[in-house]
Amino acid sequence: MRGLKAFVEERDWAQFHSPENLAKSISIEAAELLECFQWGSDPSAERVTEELADVLTYCLLLADKLGVDADQIVLDKLEQTRRKYPTDRSRGRSTKYDQL
């Protein structure tokens, strides 16, 4: 995160990084990632990696802007999901939790 923050600071871009703008950017970059798969399931690995990096970058910037620990919120959400999808009922299944 230090490298990312330094990159933004060097360019004075933090002034543009409102939570709203960062959330919009996440959605835009996620659409560009999805576009990699638009016409088939074998996209350029390089392009997918680049677009994924863009999505993650904006997610990390938003987490920082909101003052939340990205690692911790992922772990917290994982725990919630663990309760929704107990292993004994969900293993190997894609069924939504309310249908298990």
Side-chain angles (χ1 to χ4, degrees), residues 28-64:
I28 291 163
E29 294 300 338
E32 290 179 11
L33 175 59
L34 185 57
E35 186 179 37
C36 295
F37 298 91
Q38 184 175 10
W39 303 114
S41 60
D42 190 26
S44 159
E46 180 180 355
R47 181 143 180 260
V48 168
T49 301
E50 289 173 359
E51 296 303 340
L52 181 57
D54 289 341
V55 172
L56 291 170
T57 295
Y58 283 118
C59 287
L60 291 171
L61 289 170
L62 180 57
D64 184 63

Side-chain angles (χ1 to χ4, degrees), residues 13-24 62 65:
W13 285 351
Q15 63 180 315
F16 308 115
H17 291 172
S18 67
E20 177 185 5
N21 286 347
L22 292 169
K24 289 175 184 176
L62 180 57
K65 179 62 80 173

